[in-house]
Amino acid sequence: EIASCLVGSEMCIETDPYGIGLPKGSDGVAFVNAFLKKLEADGTWAKLWTVSIGQRTGSTDVPTPPSIP
């Protein structure tokens, strides 16, 4: 079994590892990180979590998103 964890985070996915892979040193890293930070700041991350996970599990507590470097 493979466990995938975000570096510096306690968020681990035991059965369905996923991530965003970019070449080391790619300028795409800054773009993706900025985009993810924007989604968190404008509330999109919480809305997406609520629709994709919260409503399906009955959970109303949106967790703190993983930290983005």
Side-chain angles (χ1 to χ4, degrees):
E1 182 171 291
I2 298 172
S4 179
C5 299
L6 296 173
V7 175
S9 172
E10 301 206 7
M11 181 180 206
C12 292
I13 300 154
E14 299 295 328
T15 57
D16 294 322
Y18 67 91
I20 300 171
L22 298 169
K24 202 171 199 177
S26 168
D27 61 350
V29 173
F31 172 81
V32 169
N33 286 344
F35 181 73
L36 293 173
K37 287 177 184 179
K38 178 182 178 279
L39 292 179
E40 181 181 346
D42 71 8
T44 300
W45 187 89
K47 290 175 190 172
L48 291 172
W49 186 92
T50 299
V51 170
S52 63
I53 298 172
Q55 290 177 358
R56 287 167 174 75
T57 63
S59 178
T60 57
D61 296 325
V62 177
T64 302
S67 63
I68 302 166

